[in-house]
Amino acid sequence: MHLTVLESVLPMPKVPDKGSVTRRGFAVLRVAVWEEPWVFALSVLASMVYGAMTVADGWALGWATDHVIRPALERGDTTFGAVASLISLFLGIAVLRAIGVVGRRIGAGIMQFRLQATYRRRVTRQYLKLPLEWHHQHPTGMLLSNANADVESIWFVIAPLPMAIGVIAMLGFATAAMFAADVWLAVVGCLVFPLVFVANVIFQRYLQPLATRAQQLRADVSEVAHESFDGALVVKTLGREAAETERFRTPTYALRDANIAVNKARGMFDPVIDGLPRLGVLAVLLVGVGRVRSGAADAGDVVQVAFLFTLIGFPIRALGWVLGELPRSVVGWDRVQRVLTAEGGMEYGDQRLTSTEAARLEVSGVRFGYLPNRDVLTGVDFTVEPGRTVAMVGPTGAGKSTMTTLLTRLVDPEEGAVKVDGVDLRSLARDELAGSVALVAQTAFLFDDTIRGNITLGGDYGDEDVWDALRIAQGDGFVKSLPDGLDTKVGERGTTLSGGQRQRIALARALVRRPRLLILDDATSAVDPQVEARILAGLRSAVRDSQAATTVLVIAYRKATISLADEVLFLDEGRITAQGTHLELQQKSAAYRDLVDAYEKDAARRQEEAELAAEIDDLDAEGASA
Amino acid sequence: MSAAEATRLDHGDDAGGLATLRQGLRVSPELAQGWWITALLALTMTAGRIVVPIAVQQTIDKGLTGAGGPDMSYVAWMCVVCAAGVLVTAGASYLTTVRLAINSERGLATMRIKAFRHVHDLPVLTQSTERRGALVSRVTSDVDTVSQFLQFGGFIFLVSIGQMLLATVVMFFYSWQLALVVLICFVPLFASLKYLQRLMSAAYGVVRAKVGEMLSAIAEPVVGAQVVRAYAIEQRTQQRIDGSIEDYRRTATRAQAITGITFSIGGLAAGLANAGVLTAGVLLGVDKQATLGEILAFMFLVALFSDPVQIATQVLTDAQSAFAGWRRVLGVIATPADVVDPGESGVVQARGPISVEFSDVDFAYPEGDLVLRDVDVRLEPHRRVAVVGETGSGKTTFAKLLTRLMDPTSGAVLLDGVDAREISFVSLRERVVMVPQDGYLFDASLAENVRFGRPEVTDAQLLEAFESLGLTDWLESLPDGLDSPVGQRGESLSAGERQLVALVRANIADPDLLVLDEATSAVDPGTEVRVNAALERLMAGRTSVTIAHRLSTAEAADEVLVFDNGEIVERGPHDELVGAGGVYTRLHDSWIAQRSEL
């Protein structure tokens, strides 16, 4: 971000938390001026040139009427010099005015889009800085609109701002020009211009709630459409298409009526705002004739003032536009400020992890909860020795996924410590942990990038490394079959992948880094059981006879996944309740048995029922034969 | 899995402006209602704008410089007439605006609803989750673009054209020589208009593309917050975001500059016309061919003439994007639905035990290879059938044909001997219900979600439905019972609980044939047991077909259909198939291997 001279001298203006929308809106405008003082100054200067030249146009017509046209028409003759001065005067004014218009518009554009960009950069920097906990507390849709629509709505007001300031100058020049022409004509002007201004303000005030309502209803329509299309399969299979259409009809009709209401308001005020200057011209003509008759004014004065009315009628609306945009601007400002003023962020130490061997993981006395007084983990202790593969097993909601976020320092424990190679994660330098530990989460997130980009994430890995990683993740086959192979774009505009394919890419992303500690959080849930078996086998052989020694912690439900492990940790109600090999745990812990054997139990129950039914059949048969 | 062709939408890109208009009027007849009244009003409205220049001319020629000096009474009389004209204009303007708004909004609401209804009939909706966003845009932002254009641009367009035409007529009435001078001064502008407009729409096209890129870059640190942190790629992410923000800023500023320059050219032309009119006017006036009033009136007329020209480029650009939006919506409506309801003429079947027959069924997505081939199978009433096979073997396609989410490419699916294509939707959906893997829940109460298929059922019947599936305990464990909100997409409930809701929903629907897509995601054992018990009870007394992802389900079924590469390769009870050494044996072995230690 550039630092201007002003910035170093003047502190950024404060926007008060309370007060009228107009007052707060003007404070936001002051911030805009403070952020972009030079662009603002230039565009206002250009706008003032435009304002002055608009008034000059009226003045020139008055002057030409009295000094060139009337004398020429009365005398029946004119001079070359008079005509030349006419042409150069009007062309000169037109050129200067055009320069003013271009300068004003380009200046406003530069300022508006620069401010947008600045605030988008600030908001996204906050997103990257704020801890994951903060992200969890805010809905995704809201964060996206904070960075996009809300930033945009703060600065819409900048587009008409220079013009509005130019119009204020224009009104000043016009008043002066009118008084110079004739006092009484000026009085007419002083009545009409404020009236047009007041009509504009009333209109904006009246329109604002209507426009806001229409905006809200557009969101409602969109919500129903989103929901209905997302649930299309349910809608279709239950034959509810007609009922859904009725549900959609309600907000659609409400929006239709709201739009009509907005237009009725516009239809009412537009003719008033348009008509007032026209009535003003007629008043000027009427008063003007009287003044000319009494010899107090010339015909040129009347023409000049009348022409000014015609010229100023439209630009004066810019004042209304600015006032009308202020509420939206303030709402956007408040929403964006909530992000920009959010506190938080992780502290880092300066320790490094220098080992190239498999990592040792140590968790001691870890307590953690998302909400106060509701701990998810309470006093977790365990150690994973280098090179071991450990499975973490536990019922839904036991805190397994939370554990993975602690191990990768996405969050910090409230008590206790997580250590890798004996170093507390909190004392590691920034980005140090990612060099040693890789996490593959339950839901695979892919970037709008190529498959290669999604695996390397900008890291320096050769194609051979990428293919190796894909091979272990069982993803080489489908990637090869894609038209552009590794260069295939994934995401909305590229190829769409199935859940299982996405998971395999996410897995390859972790494997290509040859992490010293690999954490898998149910990372193969969406792949076919057969494919999963192959992945696990590949992973096991890669880990066992590995050139790159890796410690693995895997969260799993399926027995095959668990059986990959040298050791099993059973996590229940926020603590490790049992630890040992799979066989040991099966003997030791009833809860573990229940969990792991759930599938088998289900199958066994069916078996028993079938046997019972067979016995009853046999008994019936015996009874019948007896 | 689904061929790209099946997700194709008619974009109607090739439709010309007039064709779009015709098609649009057919979809929304309200648009044209009483159009001639609106047009007359619009004409009256523009006529009123000509009042001022005429008043100026009359005042100057008759009131100020007329014979015998200033004539106060004439000017006063004329001003009253003109004021009346201004008031009539205002009234006409109000009526035009309101009529336009009412007609266009009604027409667009009709189109929006038609499009929404039709989208539900399009196969792309259920086959391509990625395209749903685009479909939502069709019934939201695309229609809004048209609406906003009609309200602002369309109105201005109408007024502008009238204003320019009328100003031209009056100019020629006063002095054809001066009128020609004005037109000549505007020639360069008219000539460049098309070019400027193309330049502008190209610039805005780039802006739109850059907005899309920026939005997707901004989404990364939000949606992928965990990955960005876990892999410590904050810097790279920020660079991508900064780059896209900067790209957008640059292109948007550039488009704005082009608009500004275009806008100023109108003003330049007006200045040129002013200078030309005054010069020519003086020369003509010297020869007594023009009065002072006429010359001055021209200055006012030039202003009336040039204002519309200045905004024309902007309006044309808006019109282009509005038309593009309109075409897209109409394109959706014009996309043929694959599966058509025979409606009134359809067969209405009696309820009761149902048999299913696939007769030589082939299926291929348009221009794709066969996904199912030669499927010829009959399922007897009350049988419990499991369908197994690897991903891509055709088992999901089988289920979609069974529930008539799609129709076979050749052959027929018969329900109780009647081709499913001939059965009315109402009857079909009553008899056949599918429970998808992830039973989508709406952001409403549990009760509303459960009675989604049949809104008329009472709370007592709902409770009974829970009871009959053995889920009363679970229902009572929820804080607000039936009134418990389930949250967006049902996120307040666990995956397993959402499955329970889907089962109760199916129970309420009470179908004869139940098609289940077994959930693959792991849920905790408590819920798992509940789901299985509820399923058992739900399937009792019905014909059921389950797409089985767990072979334990196949073990419990009366009959197993084994799919491989689009064909049914084996068929029979589990016990027979498991030892047969075929595809099923292979599937079963790997399932066993996966359940036990490797």
Side-chain angles (χ1 to χ4, degrees), chain B residues 194-216:
Chain B
K194 185 109 186 153
Y195 168 75
L196 287 170
Q197 196 262 327
R198 248 206 318 270
L199 207 64
M200 251 164 86
S201 37
Y204 280 106
V206 178
V207 171
R208 271 192 298 276
K210 293 292 172 193
V211 169
E213 282 171 28
M214 181 179 75
L215 289 182
S216 105

Side-chain angles (χ1 to χ4, degrees), chain A residues 76 125 127-128 130 227-228 236 240 245 263 396 439 448-449 528 532 558-560 563 595 602 606, chain B residues 117 120 144 151 216 229 231 236 238 240 242 286 391 429 443 452 455 524-525 532 556 594-595 598:
Chain A
R125 276 192 168 66
Y127 288 168
L128 287 168
L130 288 167
E227 205 185 44
S228 188
K236 198 166 238 176
R240 301 298 294 167
T245 308
N263 278 280
T396 314
L439 166 71
D448 181 14
D449 199 340
D528 269 358
E532 190 196 27
R558 294 174 177 167
K559 252 190 190 170
S563 73
L595 181 74
D602 192 38
R606 286 210 182 88
Chain B
R117 176 66 191 82
H120 269 297
D144 292 333
Q151 285 168 31
S216 105
R229 275 171 183 68
Y231 286 85
R236 169 183 139 95
Q238 186 69 57
R240 280 160 64 111
D242 284 357
V286 170
T391 305
R429 302 285 180 229
D443 187 7
F452 183 72
D524 67 282
N532 286 331
Q594 191 231 351
R595 279 198 311 179
L598 277 171

Side-chain angles (χ1 to χ4, degrees), chain B residues 174-257:
Chain B
Y174 277 139
S175 159
W176 63 266
Q177 299 99 325
L178 290 183
L180 274 185
V181 169
V182 172
L183 290 184
I184 288 168
C185 289
F186 274 92
V187 163
L189 177 65
F190 283 128
S192 58
L193 211 59
K194 185 109 186 153
Y195 168 75
L196 287 170
Q197 196 262 327
R198 248 206 318 270
L199 207 64
M200 251 164 86
S201 37
Y204 280 106
V206 178
V207 171
R208 271 192 298 276
K210 293 292 172 193
V211 169
E213 282 171 28
M214 181 179 75
L215 289 182
S216 105
I218 285 179
E220 288 183 353
V222 176
V223 185
Q226 199 178 18
V227 178
V228 169
R229 275 171 183 68
Y231 286 85
I233 50 165
E234 283 94 343
Q235 262 195 331
R236 169 183 139 95
T237 310
Q238 186 69 57
Q239 273 165 14
R240 280 160 64 111
I241 293 172
D242 284 357
S244 69
I245 288 176
E246 184 55 22
D247 276 356
Y248 168 69
R249 189 196 64 75
R250 216 166 18 78
T251 50
T253 309
R254 183 171 169 273
Q256 175 70 19

Side-chain angles (χ1 to χ4, degrees), chain A residues 524-541:
Chain A
T524 47
S525 56
V527 299
D528 269 358
Q530 294 82 5
V531 178
E532 190 196 27
R534 288 201 287 274
I535 292 176
L536 294 177
L539 198 58
R540 196 166 64 154
S541 63

